[in-house]
Amino acid sequence: MRTISALRIAAALAVMLVGVPRAVAAQPAPAAAAEVEIDQFAFVPQRITVKAGTTVTWINDDDTPHTVASSSKLFKSKALDTKDKFSFTFTTPGTYAYFCSLHPHMTGVVVVEAVTGADATQ
Amino acid sequence: MTSDQGEERGVSRRKILECMTWAGTGVLWTVVGGMPRSLGIMGEAAAAGASGLTFLQISDSHVGFDKPANPNALGTLEEAISKINALTVRPSFIIHTGDITHLSKPSEFDDADRIISQARLDVHYVPGEHDVLDEDVKLYRNRYGRGSKGAGWYSFDADGVHFIGLVNVVDLKAGGLGNLGNEQLEWLEDDLNGCAASTPIVVFAHIPLWSVYPTWGWGTEDAARALDYLKRFGSVTVLNGHIHQIMQKVEGNVTFHTAMSTAFPQPAPGAAPSPGPMKVADDKLRSVLGITDVTFKRGQQRLAIIDQPLQR
């Protein structure tokens, strides 16, 4: 059974993989990242909440192509074949509905929150 | 008797709609007495020779698909075409109800054309959602859209039967189902205005024009309007694909029928977490694509569906 990956902070991991010294990693937080899986004709998680500036990456785990299309036409991926990815960086707070333009019963939501002072000092 | 009167008014008032023998690789249709009915793809085709129009439906060939459910979708399409070529009575033409390719790649369209052309028959296509993955739907329309309107809808006549190919896979709305759209529906109303009510009508489109299972998107948002325009006709047959399995419904004078795929099966509505390709054991694939008899008995509203796999 495939596991469902929830919101994942990948940036820190990437820093570790390239072996950047700890002193550099302690510098101002790099842009956040989040991932949404497309699995069994569904966006998982169906609704995610991220901070402004977060890059959300969708990855298609199905044997069927899907797309990621903003309901307000803000963004639209090409058809994603198995294991293909699509990323979009959300800079403005708000609620962003999207769907698969091939299988429109597949819908999802990205909620983007403003970055607060507390976030910056984390 | 009351029941006899019921039959007089019902579907069976016309020529018996005695359908349908089915092969997963294709459906052979014949029109007898103005009523389309399907015949077995193989031996029974001789019966079609007597009179009327015979045509064949294939669907969902998904050329380019190479996942576990069928690593060689091109190969099974080729098998389907071989069966068509082995028919004792040649059908007049083929209807392909979409998803010719898996990813709308030019090479996939090329491969599909190379195999399907071996049937040496005219092929009337409508696109599936897998055929319109390029943003502007150019790949499909450049190949198959000549003489069509909009995203590729059209009509033609053959032996007194009026055929209408509809497109319900473009401009889909979030949360919705298949979609015909206002422009196409207006065209349809206009197209049907030229037909007498006695004209047998065959409508074909990729996604079912009736609500098979909306939870999986198996239906068409604005099909009711199309069906309203078709109400006055004595014989309407709606042929669809998309769901990779046989479903049939008779509603008044309208018979709805979905075809199996030549590539891979999909689960029955709600029988799996999603409608994705269904993997069966390798030696079972062709049995899933095997023959199904569907019979409409006089005086009964429901159709009997009996599966007869090619391999047991």
Side-chain angles (χ1 to χ4, degrees):
Chain A
M1 184 179 153
R2 277 180 281 193
T3 56
I4 294 165
S5 76
L7 188 67
R8 188 186 294 166
I9 305 301
L13 182 64
V15 166
M16 284 161 58
L17 287 173
V18 297
V20 176
R22 279 173 187 277
V24 175
Q27 293 298 304
E35 197 172 284
V36 176
E37 277 188 44
I38 305 173
D39 185 31
Q40 301 274 12
F41 284 65
F43 296 106
V44 184
Q46 197 265 342
R47 183 186 186 92
I48 58 166
T49 301
V50 300
K51 297 294 180 188
T54 301
T55 297
V56 177
T57 298
W58 287 263
I59 177 165
N60 182 13
D61 283 337
D62 269 351
D63 282 352
T64 300
H66 296 292
T67 69
V68 179
S70 155
S71 301
S72 63
K73 300 190 192 297
L74 179 66
F75 54 86
K76 183 178 179 184
S77 75
K78 292 186 182 306
L80 305 176
D81 195 9
T82 308
K83 297 300 174 194
D84 282 354
K85 295 178 182 181
F86 170 73
S87 295
F88 185 80
T89 302
F90 293 86
T91 55
T92 309
T95 299
Y96 299 88
Y98 64 92
F99 67 112
C100 169
S101 61
L102 303 174
H103 312 101
H105 64 287
M106 296 168 57
T107 61
V109 177
V110 177
V111 178
V112 180
E113 294 178 336
V115 177
T116 63
D119 294 318
T121 58
Q122 270 178 1
Chain B
M1 276 173 65
T2 311
S3 60
D4 289 336
Q5 286 168 354
E7 283 184 22
E8 279 299 300
R9 284 195 302 269
V11 175
S12 54
R13 178 178 172 182
R14 264 164 299 283
K15 193 83 182 173
I16 306 168
L17 176 61
E18 188 187 274
C19 51
M20 319 178 133
T21 306
W22 187 281
T25 46
V27 193
L28 190 64
W29 290 84
T30 187
V31 181
V32 179
M35 209 59 162
R37 60 178 199 163
S38 68
L39 300 162
I41 190 167
M42 298 300 285
E44 295 171 49
S51 63
L53 171 70
T54 298
F55 64 100
L56 195 129
Q57 181 192 6
I58 58 173
S59 198
D60 296 86
S61 36
H62 284 263
V63 168
F65 183 85
D66 59 0
K67 304 299 190 300
N70 181 359
N72 188 10
L74 190 62
T76 47
L77 173 63
E78 200 157 15
E79 289 176 32
I81 299 302
S82 296
K83 288 182 186 299
I84 294 168
N85 286 336
L87 292 170
T88 50
V89 174
R90 295 281 288 164
S92 293
F93 54 83
I94 295 173
I95 282 176
H96 193 305
T97 42
D99 284 357
I100 306 156
T101 69
H102 193 60
L103 293 169
S104 302
K105 291 178 181 170
S107 61
E108 294 174 345
F109 282 115
D110 287 345
D111 285 343
D113 289 348
R114 181 169 53 79
I115 300 301
I116 293 171
S117 65
Q118 289 170 12
R120 291 181 168 71
L121 291 167
D122 285 342
V123 187
H124 302 278
Y125 290 93
V126 284
E129 75 279 7
H130 288 256
D131 302 316
V132 296
L133 297 186
D134 56 323
E135 204 65 30
D136 43 11
V137 196
K138 269 191 182 161
L139 288 167
Y140 175 84
R141 278 192 294 194
N142 286 347
R143 281 172 195 259
Y144 309 108
R146 244 163 298 151
S148 69
K149 315 271 190 220
W153 58 82
Y154 60 98
S155 66
F156 65 95
D157 294 284
D159 282 19
V161 180
H162 190 61
F163 290 81
I164 303 169
L166 298 179
V167 179
N168 57 0
V169 296
V170 297
D171 197 23
L172 306 185
K173 306 292 187 290
L177 307 169
N179 180 52
L180 293 163
N182 191 53
E183 188 188 349
Q184 183 170 207
L185 285 163
E186 284 182 354
W187 170 86
L188 175 65
E189 183 179 26
D190 192 50
D191 182 73
L192 288 170
N193 274 340
C195 296
S198 58
T199 309
I201 307 284
V202 174
V203 178
F204 55 105
H206 180 63
I207 297 176
L209 289 172
W210 49 294
S211 289
V212 174
Y213 195 58
T215 309
W216 283 355
W218 289 358
T220 299
E221 202 76 40
D222 47 6
R225 208 172 125 193
L227 296 172
D228 198 47
Y229 299 149
L230 292 160
K231 255 188 202 159
R232 69 182 175 92
F233 293 92
S235 164
V236 179
T237 304
V238 178
L239 305 178
N240 301 120
H242 187 59
I243 67 171
H244 297 216
Q245 62 195 287
I246 301 156
M247 290 274 167
Q248 187 158 3
K249 187 174 87 155
V250 178
E251 200 174 281
N253 293 332
V254 185
T255 299
F256 299 88
H257 202 123
T258 62
M260 292 177 100
S261 165
T262 65
F264 55 85
Q266 284 179 235
S274 81
M278 185 165 70
K279 169 69 181 158
V280 297
D282 291 346
D283 62 347
K284 289 272 164 40
L285 178 61
R286 282 159 188 81
S287 72
V288 175
L289 300 176
I291 294 169
T292 302
D293 292 313
V294 185
T295 307
F296 177 66
K297 288 180 182 162
R298 187 185 273 275
Q300 291 183 9
Q301 290 304 309
R302 290 184 60 197
L303 291 137
I305 299 174
I306 302 158
D307 292 310
Q308 291 187 339
L310 291 170
Q311 293 175 344
R312 289 180 189 276

